Amino acid sequence: MKKLLAAVCILLALLLLVPIPLRLKDGGSVAYRALLYTVTDVHRIAPESESGYLEGTVIEILGTEIFNNVG
């Protein structure tokens, strides 16, 4: 019984914490999504910017943005 409980806990932890990379269709951004959090490496075309691109990182936990340095 203990082995089954341990296996279920490990599987649950993997589902909640292991991210799946997704390529976004905005010019090169990649989002790493898990059930609990999302980390997005932004590389987006932005003609209004001096360099022509917006770059940075956005971190969300449970859907709430906690870090954003895109610019």
Side-chain angles (χ1 to χ4, degrees):
M1 187 65 178
K2 288 182 182 181
K3 288 182 182 182
L4 178 63
L5 182 59
V8 169
C9 288
I10 290 171
L11 184 62
L12 184 61
L14 287 174
L15 287 173
L16 293 175
L17 299 175
V18 175
I20 298 170
L22 302 168
R23 301 209 181 272
L24 305 178
K25 296 180 180 181
D26 64 353
S29 298
V30 178
Y32 299 93
R33 293 190 182 180
L35 290 176
L36 291 179
Y37 66 93
T38 302
V39 177
T40 305
D41 291 329
V42 177
H43 184 77
R44 177 182 310 151
I45 297 172
E48 67 275 359
S49 158
E50 285 182 14
S51 66
Y53 291 96
L54 287 177
E55 295 182 316
T57 303
V58 177
I59 300 174
E60 297 177 1
I61 296 178
L62 295 173
T64 303
E65 188 176 289
I66 62 164
F67 180 78
N68 185 343
N69 72 342
V70 176

